[in-house]
């Protein structure tokens, strides 16, 4: 008979121990041990549900609960004694519980499978992490608004195709990313709602044969509801895909912001100065100040998008209910959470401490960016915009050919292209005036931006 001192939860069916190569492939303890608090919490609530259903006594549930609390304290103190046979965090906790309270620990798994246990623990853990991420995103949003509030009247070029297009305010640029972050918070909030549906009581796939109240159990664990179908309950990982999707889109937003700030803080632009605490130097070139926080934000966007793509491909061919492939959910999920919880504080600090250089932004404005304002001038004379666009296009061409700034083109040359130009056309060449005219809702005019800031502060007040 083979020695079974290192036996698994399923060893009764087997004569031989698992091959070492299989253990290395199969065991998930190295990465899922972080679920210990959720496993203990949900196990304790399940023990009480078993007692309420009359499956075990309340005294036994109390004994199990006491053992679980001791396990939590061991994890917190860093003294939990892992053993060679611990396949995952769930087997480790059950094994240690048996060492503490004896055979009664074996009653905890009555009616419960690791299939519904794992799915429940991951949901419980993920919901808590979403709360942390949203708190960080609200901090980032608040920081963007705080910076915007100081730069309502700070002028800068706005770009399309990375070519100077029209003047805007620095506040308007900052707030464009604030609104992206609000949508990210909303997506994570919805994901959290979808996460907090408990599969516990689904068993391996067919349901629980004992009269536990799954709805009450779900609420005791902090969930909103119980899954309505046991087959779906043990296999559903939509909530993880939703988190990965929300994280991937968040990273797209952060990467776009990072790219702007990398450009604007470069010596060639000089619009933004980064605090030294959020940059790094070069090992070779003493003069360098590298925007590593921003570059890592940009780089990690691809990594997180890759996790989403990879996990979708894991799921797409699975047959019904639980399959071991689903173990592949955890490492990318954990990496995404770790990445966000590491990146966001650094990015918040960078935004809090970065400063604008208004004179450099103002110097980057050129009269060509007011060509649309000239077209609007012609439209005010009753000319259809498309015709006005052509008129100003010819005027721009004239300025290029004569190497004359538009503000210095003689009035007679203006009138040669369009007879209704008057002396007041030169008043168009005012960058602040151009911005002020764009006061429609959502525009870059100071009064419109202050409306945005009021809306932003209202959003923040409700978070």
């Amino acid at each position: 008979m083979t020695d079974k001192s290192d036996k698994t939860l399923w060893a009764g069916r087997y004569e031989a121990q698992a091959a070492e190569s299989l253990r290395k492939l199969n065991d998930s303890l190295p990465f899922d041990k972080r679920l210990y608090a959720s496993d203990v919490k949900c196990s304790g609530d399940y023990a009480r549900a078993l007692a309420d259903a009359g499956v075990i006594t309340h005294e036994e549930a109390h004994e199990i609960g006491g053992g679980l609390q001791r396990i939590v304290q061991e994890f917190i103190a860093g003294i939990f004694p892992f053993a060679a046979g611990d396949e995952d965090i769930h087997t480790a906790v059950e094994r240690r519980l048996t060492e503490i309270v004896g055979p009664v620990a074996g009653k905890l798994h009555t009616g419960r499978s690791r299939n519904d246990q794992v799915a429940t623990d991951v949901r419980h853990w993920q919901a808590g992490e979403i709360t942390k991420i949203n708190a960080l995103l609200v901090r980032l949003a608040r920081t963007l608004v705080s910076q915007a509030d100081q730069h309502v009247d700070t002028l800068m070029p706005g770009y399309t195709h990375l070519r100077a297009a029209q003047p805007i305010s620095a506040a308007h640029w900052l707030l464009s990313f604030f609104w992206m972050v609000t949508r990210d918070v909303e997506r994570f909030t919805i994901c959290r709602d979808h996460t907090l549906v408990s599969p516990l009581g689904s068993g391996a796939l067919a349901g629980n044969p004992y009269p536990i109240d799954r709805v009450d159990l779900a609420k005791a664990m902090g969930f909103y509801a119980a899954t309505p179908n046991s087959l779906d309950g043990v296999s559903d990982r939509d909530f993880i895909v939703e988190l990965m999707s929300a994280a991937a889109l968040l990273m797209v937003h952060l990467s776009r912001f990072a790219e702007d700030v990398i450009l604007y803080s470069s010596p060639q632009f000089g619009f933004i100065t980064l605090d030294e605490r959020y940059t790094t130097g070069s090992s070779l070139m003493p003069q360098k100040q590298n925007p590593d926080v921003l570059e890592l934000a940009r780089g990690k966007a691809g990594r997180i998008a890759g996790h989403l793509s990879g996990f979708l491909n894991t799921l797409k061919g699975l047959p019904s209910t639980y399959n071991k492939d689903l173990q592949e959910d955890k490492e990318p999920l954990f990496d995404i959470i770790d990445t966000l919880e590491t990146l966001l504080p650094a990015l918040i600090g960078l935004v809090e401490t970065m400063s604008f250089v208004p004179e450099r932004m103002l110097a980057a404005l050129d009269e060509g960016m007011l060509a649309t304002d000239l077209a609007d001038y012609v439209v005010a004379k009753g000319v259809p915009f498309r015709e006005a666009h052509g008129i100003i296009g010819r005027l721009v061409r004239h300025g290029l050919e004569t190497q004359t700034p538009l503000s210095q083109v003689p009035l007679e040359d203006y009138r040669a292209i369009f007879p209704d130009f008057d002396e007041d056309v030169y008043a168009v060449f005012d960058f602040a005036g151009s911005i002020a005219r764009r006061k429609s809702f959502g525009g870059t005019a100071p009064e419109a931006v202050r409306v945005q800031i009021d809306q932003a502060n209202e959003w923040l007040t409700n978070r």
Side-chain angles (χ1 to χ4, degrees):
M1 182 75 67
T2 303
D3 176 24
K4 292 189 178 180
S5 60
D6 184 20
K7 65 183 180 180
T8 62
L9 293 179
W10 34 269
R13 159 65 176 80
Y14 283 76
E15 284 294 328
Q17 285 186 348
E20 183 63 23
S21 58
L22 179 134
R23 291 296 303 267
K24 288 182 178 179
L25 174 65
N26 188 65
D27 292 2
S28 58
L29 182 64
F31 53 83
D32 71 13
K33 59 188 176 183
R34 69 172 67 196
L35 298 175
Y36 76 87
S38 292
D39 189 75
V40 168
K41 161 65 176 169
C42 297
S43 291
D45 290 329
Y46 186 69
R48 285 185 287 274
L50 287 173
D52 290 341
V55 179
I56 65 175
T57 68
H58 286 284
E59 291 74 16
E60 289 172 327
H62 181 74
E63 189 176 358
I64 290 170
L68 290 170
Q69 287 307 306
R70 178 173 165 182
I71 289 171
V72 167
Q73 294 306 314
E74 289 178 345
F75 271 107
I76 293 172
I79 59 173
F80 180 86
F82 291 104
D86 293 341
E87 182 180 339
D88 53 30
I89 188 60
H90 321 289
T91 55
V93 168
E94 183 171 339
R95 185 264 311 159
R96 181 58 178 153
L97 182 63
T98 302
E99 293 173 354
I100 294 171
V101 303
V104 70
K107 295 188 176 185
L108 176 59
H109 213 59
T110 305
R112 184 174 71 166
S113 165
R114 270 190 302 175
N115 294 357
D116 60 344
Q117 181 182 4
V118 169
T120 303
D121 290 354
V122 174
R123 284 176 180 268
H124 185 273
W125 178 86
Q126 176 171 295
E129 298 306 311
I130 290 174
T131 298
K132 295 177 188 177
I133 290 168
N134 264 352
L136 289 169
L137 289 177
V138 169
R139 279 182 55 198
L140 176 60
R142 196 180 307 278
T143 302
L144 288 166
V145 174
S146 177
Q147 281 277 20
D149 195 44
Q150 302 172 54
H151 293 287
V152 173
D153 297 307
T154 302
L155 306 186
M156 68 178 289
Y159 297 88
T160 64
H161 307 278
L162 202 57
R163 301 293 188 272
Q166 291 180 286
I168 61 172
S169 73
H172 198 49
W173 170 74
L174 286 161
L175 288 169
S176 71
F177 292 99
F178 166 82
W179 295 114
M180 295 181 202
V181 173
T182 65
R183 297 194 296 273
D184 292 317
V185 170
E186 290 166 6
R187 271 184 285 271
F188 276 108
T189 300
I190 293 169
C191 177
R192 187 175 186 274
D193 290 344
H194 292 171
T195 299
L196 286 172
V197 182
S198 168
L200 195 55
S202 296
L205 75 161
N208 195 308
Y210 301 95
I212 64 169
D213 188 325
R214 291 191 60 222
V215 174
D216 282 353
L217 172 58
K219 292 178 180 178
M221 294 185 296
F223 290 78
Y224 298 146
T227 54
N229 182 285
S230 61
L231 301 176
D232 181 49
V234 298
S235 63
D236 174 24
R237 295 297 186 273
D238 291 2
F239 64 100
I240 293 179
V241 173
E242 287 185 46
L243 182 139
M244 291 179 171
S245 178
L249 190 49
L250 164 63
M251 289 303 300
V252 168
H253 295 155
L254 298 184
S255 181
R256 292 179 62 196
F257 175 76
E259 176 66 8
D260 272 10
V261 180
I262 288 168
L263 289 170
Y264 295 166
S265 63
S266 68
Q268 290 76 14
F269 280 77
F271 296 173
I272 291 174
T273 301
L274 301 178
D275 190 291
E276 287 185 354
R277 291 170 294 172
Y278 295 96
T279 63
T280 63
S282 165
S283 62
L284 178 67
M285 298 165 283
Q287 84 282 5
K288 291 293 295 299
Q289 187 184 45
N290 299 324
D292 283 10
V293 170
L294 298 165
E295 290 174 350
L296 287 169
R298 189 175 59 187
K300 289 178 186 297
R303 175 171 165 173
I304 288 179
H307 285 323
L308 170 62
S309 176
F311 190 53
L312 284 170
N313 278 285
T314 296
L315 294 177
K316 71 176 182 63
L318 296 186
S320 292
T321 75
Y322 185 80
N323 297 272
K324 193 67 172 185
D325 313 53
L326 294 175
Q327 184 168 288
E328 292 300 303
D329 62 355
K330 294 176 189 61
E331 288 178 284
L333 171 62
F334 295 160
D335 184 64
I336 287 172
I337 296 297
D338 289 346
T339 297
L340 294 181
E341 293 181 0
T342 302
L343 171 64
L344 286 169
L347 195 58
I348 290 165
L350 181 143
V351 176
E352 284 176 338
T353 57
M354 72 183 190
S355 57
F356 288 85
V357 187
E359 59 272 21
R360 286 293 297 266
M361 293 191 287
L362 188 61
L365 298 172
D366 70 79
E367 292 177 355
M369 300 172 68
L370 299 174
T372 303
D373 296 79
L374 283 172
D376 291 334
Y377 174 94
V378 174
V379 167
K381 301 289 186 179
V383 177
F385 179 80
R386 188 51 59 203
E387 184 179 336
H389 186 285
I391 290 169
I392 302 305
R394 292 195 295 275
L395 181 64
V396 169
R397 171 58 60 187
H398 174 75
L400 291 171
E401 290 173 348
T402 61
Q403 298 185 347
T404 306
L406 292 176
S407 64
Q408 297 177 30
V409 171
L411 183 59
E412 57 267 25
D413 290 358
Y414 270 92
R415 287 175 169 166
I417 294 172
F418 177 62
D420 289 344
F421 276 120
D422 291 322
E423 288 284 354
D424 62 353
V425 69
Y426 296 106
V428 168
F429 297 102
D430 176 2
F431 296 117
S434 173
I435 287 177
R437 284 189 286 274
R438 283 153 176 82
K439 58 187 177 181
S440 61
F441 181 75
T444 192
E447 62 185 273
V449 170
R450 290 190 179 97
V451 170
Q452 282 191 70
I453 291 175
D454 288 342
Q455 288 180 305
N457 284 324
E458 182 180 357
W459 185 89
L460 289 167
T461 299
N462 294 324
R463 296 300 181 282

